[in-house]
Structure formats: structure tokens, C-alpha cells
Amino acid sequence: MQTGISTASLFPRLNTEDALEKIKSLGADCAEIFFSTFYEYRPEFAKSLAERVQGLKINSVHANSCNFEPNFFNPSHRVKGDGYYWLDQIGRSARLLGCGNYTFHGFNRINGRANDDFDAFAAGLNEICDFASDYSLKICLENVRWSLYDRPGVFSQLKSRTPALGAVFDIKQARMSGYPYQAYIKDMSGAIQYAHLSDVDEMGRTCLPGTGIYDFNDIISRLVGEGFDGALLIEVYADNYADFGDIARSVEFIKEVAYKLK
């Protein structure tokens, strides 16, 4: 297992390129790049990052999913084409950065769960996975309370129909969904590529791992028990910590827990 940081944790304190420089100094083994604008999706931007990321493994890329991911499930070929245009840009960027994973949300659950058509969802996901494979990019579906994977059971339904699909476990989103994180980990068994980690304090506020009430020995041991050996990525919001030194200490905390569980 590796321990890393998502650039989302430093946004908007630092621009993406500066966030990567900072992450290298905080003791992380790897990073997830959260592309926050259309400008950043472009391969030209990735080329400008190449020198800055030397010595830092880029585990995954994450787009501002609401920009275009719902387009993939639209019946209009023109609307769907816009989605694939941006996935092409991001795929080229990921390849330039030596990155093999894409964090995927899909469409928003505006209409709730009444229209759960897993065959139709999987048909769309299979097309997306096939397209991404041309860039050696794996589509990894993240549990997100307002999106496609909004509750335990969804991933296993989709995975049975979409063999190439990977999973991203997000502890914060599990908490916000109201379902136990244990159920999500079990649902993703054998397919978890990496995890987004945060903590929560006694007031229910998100905080850095190691500064709240979560039992990370339990969380990480459960991940390992389901075949996980990927990146443990710290993903919090900019107002969840005081300074970057706090993140460095959280990195060390996660590394220590993971080391003891080897």
C-alpha cells in the first residue's frame, strides 16, 4: 500500500501545479490530481506538470465530474460526444503523467432510485471502460451519495455486468450517505483500486485522518481483507485543517497504520 494526497485537499489554497509541488514535500508516496477546470483537462496542461511531478507517482486523475460525465448516459449522440471529447483530453493527459486510474462519478441522482436500470447503466459503463482502455486508463467508480453509486449494492450490480470496472472507496461519502462504510467495502470486494480517506470529529465535522474518532486500524484492515493493496489517499477540504504541516502528520499517521497491518 502507498499513502498519498489528493490535490483537492489543497484547493483552492494552491493551484493544481503548486499543490503537486507541496504534496511532494509532505511525505506522500503518490497523489491524485483533481483537475478543477476545463483548462486543466487539456494535454497541454499535463505537459506543463511533467517536470513538477518527477519523483511523485500519480495514482489517479479526477475531473469535475458534473462538467461532462452525465453526458455519457444521454441518448443524444451529440451530447454523448461532448463527454467523450473531454474524456479523450483527460486520457491523453493521464498518459502523459503515467497515470492509470480515473475516478468516476457518472450522473447525478436527481430522480432518486426509481429508475435503477442496471443493464442500461452497465451498457454505458462498458463503452466508457472500452474507450478509456485505449489510454491504458481504468475507470474506477466512487461511492458518492448524490451520484450513480449512492448506496451499497449498486457497485456489485454494475461490476457483474462491467468486468473492467474498478472501485474507489470514499469514507467521507459513505458517512454522508447514511450507510455503514463496512457495507461499501464489502460491496466493492476484490475491485477496490484506491481509497479516499478523511476523519470526522465528535461534532460530525470532516477532519484529517488521525485527528477524529474513526478507527483506521479497522477501516484499513477491512480494505486489506477484501483484497486491497492500493493507494490510501487523503482527501479533505481546505477548511478541514490549519496548515500543511497538519497534512504531513496525517500522512505519517496513515503510513504507520498501514505498516502495522502488512
Side-chain angles (χ1 to χ4, degrees), residues 62-88:
H62 194 320
N64 187 347
S65 60
C66 294
N67 286 160
F68 64 89
E69 287 183 7
N71 292 32
F72 294 126
F73 301 91
N74 194 289
S76 164
H77 292 297
R78 186 170 292 175
V79 173
K80 188 181 291 187
D82 275 358
Y84 280 106
Y85 171 81
W86 289 112
L87 185 57
D88 168 72

Side-chain angles (χ1 to χ4, degrees), residues 150-197:
D150 65 339
R151 68 196 188 279
V154 170
F155 182 81
S156 54
Q157 287 282 350
L158 295 173
K159 179 66 174 176
S160 67
R161 298 166 170 85
T162 316
L165 188 65
V168 186
F169 170 68
D170 189 303
I171 185 69
K172 169 172 37 57
Q173 289 292 335
R175 182 181 80 251
M176 292 178 174
S177 76
Y179 294 95
Y181 69 79
Q182 297 91 337
Y184 281 105
I185 292 174
K186 180 63 68 175
D187 188 44
M188 301 178 193
S189 180
I192 307 171
Q193 304 301 306
Y194 45 104
H196 288 157
L197 300 183

Side-chain angles (χ1 to χ4, degrees), residues 43-63:
E44 291 81 2
F45 180 71
K47 289 177 183 177
S48 74
L49 294 180
E51 185 173 330
R52 293 176 180 251
V53 301
Q54 287 183 8
L56 181 68
K57 174 183 169 67
I58 303 304
N59 174 80
S60 46
V61 291
H62 194 320

